Structures are given as C-alpha cells and as structure tokens.
C-alpha cells in the first residue's frame, strides 16, 4: 500500500511537470504571436489555456483524494501541499501567457509593440520560457542544484523589466500613451510569469531539502 | 479530541478572518495615502505588511499540523485546504495594498494621480475595502447569502476599471505617459485586490455548501 501511495505521489509530480511544460509552451507561442502579430498562434494559446486549468483541477482532486484516503504525514504531506501550491502558480503562468496572446489578438494585424521595445520582449520571452523549462525539469529530476541557476535568469528578467520601464517613462518616449500602457502591462505579465516559475522551483527545493531557499523576489500579487 | 479538533479549525478560520481584516485596513490606508499624498499613512502600510505575511505563515503552519496530527477527512479536509488557499489570496491582497502605498511614497510630496482620475480611485478604493470587509464577515459568520452581494461590487469594480482604461487610452489624455503608466498599474492593483477578495468569499462558500459558486471572473494571474 505504501508503494501504491508513492506511485500516486509520483503521478502528481508528473502531472505538475506536464502542466509546467504546457505553460512554457503557451508563453513561447504567445511571445511569437506578439512579436510576429501571428493571429493563428494567438488563437492556439487562447484555445489551449483551458487544458492547463483542467490539469490543475485534476491535480487538486488527486491531492485531495490522497490526503483523505492515505492521511500522509511529514515529508509526504509536505509534498502534497507543495504540489497544490505549485499547481496554483503554474495555472497563473498559463493565464499570463493567455494575457499576452489576447493582447496580440486584440491588436492584430498590427503589432502590439513598437520596434523600440520588441527586442526587450524577445529577450524576456526567451528567459520566461527558459525558466518554465527549468522549473519543469527540476520537478521531474528533483535536481535542486539546478534551482540555483534560476536566480540568475530571474535577476536578468527583473533587470530587463526595470530597464524597459525607464524607456517607457523617458520624456522622449515617442510612441504615445496607448503604446506605453500596453507595453507596461505586457512587461508586467512576463515579470510575473518569471516570478511564478521561480516560486514553483523554490517549492520543489523545499520538498526535496526541507528548506525554502531565500533567493529572489517573493510573489507579490 | 474531536472537540479540540473543531476548536483548532475555528481558530484557523478566526486567524484567516483577522488577516482579511488587516488586508482591508491596509488597502483603506493605502488609498488614503494615495489620494492625500500622505507619507505617514504610506509608511504605516509598508511597515505593517510583514504582519499580514506572519499571519499567513502561522496559518500554514497550523494547517500543516492539523493535517499531520489529526488526519481530517471529507468536510474538515476541505476546510483546511480552503483556508490554505484563502490565506494565499489574502496575502496577495496585502501585497497589492503595499504596492499602492509604495507608489504613494515614491511620488511624495506630489500626488501620484491626476485630478482626472482621482475620483475613480476613490470609488475603487471604497469598493475594494468593502469587499475585504464583506469577505472577512463571511469567513466569521459563514453566511453564504452575503457572498452573492459581492458579485455586484466586483462588477462595479470591473466597470470602473474598464472605464478608467478608456480614459487613459483616449487620444486626448492630457497628463503624459508617466501618469498614464502609473494610473494603469494602480488600476490593476485595485482590480486584482477585488478579484482576490471575491476568491476568498467563493472558497468560504465552497467550504460551507460544498459547491464553488460560478460568478465573477476567475483570478487570472
């Protein structure tokens, strides 16, 4: 029975990793949709978002059943609770990618972003997708050493986001208010996506080591 | 022993209600700080935020202990899990109020907002605080009928937020890009605060009735 229980825990972790992979794919496609004004890709992300929500619902159901039927204690309980929290974060990652895709669709056939800022978003998109992939791998492999490298990527994202903000707020911003507003909101989506990916990695480290790493910004909204 | 267990559940719910009250207070003070360029109030919110985080940590610890030691099933398990999720939402409410306070402090002694939009934020602030108070009362009283009225307040917040957005994006917006950007971000903080308060109320309804109400927007980031 204990073996069946650990199989169930393993299945939970696998589903979480799958879900995190889906969120990474969503952000990759959403970023392409944004930078290339690609309506088809945007629609794909929008249509696929419900699948991410479905995995979260399934994870929560299974976690609940595990808690109710197996009454886990100590480490196992910590794993189940961490999976529940992480699934919430990953669903938000999916929703943030969805926001990006919706912005691309809304302004199609125009580009949402000005040429000035598109390079920032190309790089933020690359970092965001990389963070999601790393988080996915860390969940699968339980390799907590890899979690340390996420700190650097998250710092890079924060630096880009801050720099982008100074560009937007510069008195010589030439693209008008609507573009500044869109750019601000989109920048925030990427920054929050990264924060959530780091949060998922931190929870995994906590599960494996029993200690919550102290690096990086906390999720703050 | 069952009685002691139910006492512990009641204590968890009380702490959650206290925490939700603190978040409502934080947003009330942060809004005043914003609208009155009040540095002292802003600093108070900023300093008090850690107390909200501490209550969340305490709730999670007690919930964990309850799960580990009492192995609750069925309804009780649902309550404990709902409290864990709700505490996460309330902590975010506190962080959103913190963001508002930090914006007020950053621009002090100037007002962050233009005269054009301050009335919107006065109303959004009022609604946000009302939603937090209602959520707090619903947790304490378990009165799920009151949860239905939150839908109206949340709709009002969404309407205000959407209207504010059209004002910002209007070609005749006279206050420049930085003001538009600040206003956009602040509007988003109030809208998210409201979403989280509604989420907390929905979880309470779920705990009491076993059904998750379908109204309003889901939390999406």
């Amino acid at each position: 029975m204990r073996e069946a229980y650990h199989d169930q825990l393993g299945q939970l972790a696998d589903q979480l990793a799958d879900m995190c992979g889906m969120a990474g794919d969503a952000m990759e496609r959403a970023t392409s949709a944004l930078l290339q004004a690609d309506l088809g890709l945007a629609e794909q992300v929008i249509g696929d978002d419900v699948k991410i929500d479905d995995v979260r619902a399934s994870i929560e159901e299974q976690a609940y059943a595990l808690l109710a039927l197996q009454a886990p204690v100590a480490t196992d309980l910590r794993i189940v609770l961490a999976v529940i929290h992480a699934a919430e974060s990953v669903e938000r990652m999916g929703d943030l990618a969805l926001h990006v895709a919706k912005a691309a669709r809304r302004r199609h056939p125009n580009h949402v972003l000005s040429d000035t800022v598109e390079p920032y978003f190309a790089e933020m998109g690359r970092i965001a997708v990389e963070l999601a992939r790393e988080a996915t791998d860390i969940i699968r492999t339980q390799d907590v050493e890899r979690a340390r490298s996420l700190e650097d990527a998250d710092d890079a994202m924060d630096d880009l986001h801050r720099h982008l903000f100074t560009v937007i707020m510069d008195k010589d911003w030439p693209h008008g208010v609507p573009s500044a507003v869109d750019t601000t909101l989109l920048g925030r989506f990427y920054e929050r996506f990264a924060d959530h990916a780091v949060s998922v990695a931190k929870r995994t480290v906590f599960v494996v080591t029993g200690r919550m790493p102290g690096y990086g910004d906390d999720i703050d909204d």
Side-chain angles (χ1 to χ4, degrees), chain A:
Chain A
M1 180 152 152
R2 191 115 192 89
E3 203 176 284
Y5 173 68
H6 273 281
D7 284 347
Q8 285 176 317
L9 275 188
Q11 277 173 40
L12 262 188
D14 278 344
Q15 281 203 283
L16 182 67
D18 287 345
M19 195 187 169
C20 198
M22 289 163 73
D25 291 343
M27 192 49 118
E28 188 169 48
R29 293 181 188 124
T31 304
S32 294
L34 184 72
L35 297 176
Q36 292 153 30
D38 186 327
L39 184 60
L41 267 178
E43 296 279 20
Q44 184 183 359
V45 173
I46 292 164
D48 284 349
D49 180 67
V50 67
K51 297 178 189 172
I52 296 177
D53 297 347
D54 286 348
V55 179
R56 183 210 174 163
S58 167
I59 286 175
E60 285 210 355
E61 226 176 271
Q62 289 173 56
Y64 177 87
L66 232 157
L67 289 172
L69 298 172
Q70 306 272 14
V73 290
T75 306
D76 294 340
L77 177 58
R78 192 169 65 212
I79 293 173
V80 177
L81 291 177
V83 168
I84 289 174
H85 281 295
E88 195 159 2
S89 282
V90 177
E91 188 181 48
R92 290 202 180 91
M93 288 164 68
D95 288 333
L96 288 159
L98 176 66
H99 286 341
V100 172
K102 283 183 170 176
R105 180 174 69 175
R106 202 176 302 125
R107 302 264 183 260
H108 185 271
N110 296 323
H111 280 237
V112 182
L113 301 170
S114 58
D115 291 344
T116 310
V117 302
E118 276 196 346
Y120 287 87
F121 282 86
E123 185 59 12
M124 290 196 295
R126 193 197 62 73
I127 295 173
V129 173
E130 177 192 314
L131 280 167
R133 305 246 183 275
E134 273 299 292
T136 301
D137 287 347
I138 290 166
I139 297 166
R140 286 204 204 287
T141 63
Q142 305 277 293
D143 183 351
V144 297
E145 282 311 305
R146 295 175 66 174
R148 298 232 53 91
S149 73
L150 263 69
E151 189 178 356
D152 295 335
D154 190 46
D155 287 345
M157 175 68 85
D158 287 345
D159 284 347
L160 271 165
H161 186 235
R162 262 193 299 271
H163 199 191
L164 177 66
F165 202 67
T166 64
V167 169
I168 295 167
M169 296 297 243
D170 187 280
K171 58 177 175 55
D172 296 328
W173 170 265
H175 304 290
V177 165
S179 179
V181 166
D182 282 344
T183 306
T184 298
L185 288 172
L186 281 161
R188 191 166 170 79
F189 298 154
Y190 281 88
E191 197 253 335
R192 302 286 298 109
F193 184 98
D195 281 349
H196 280 297
V198 169
S199 171
V200 169
K202 279 166 83 167
R203 291 236 177 237
T204 307
V205 171
F206 174 69
V207 160
V208 173
T209 66
R211 293 187 319 280
M212 182 67 83
Y215 58 80
D217 287 346
D218 278 352
I219 298 298
D220 56 7
D221 81 327

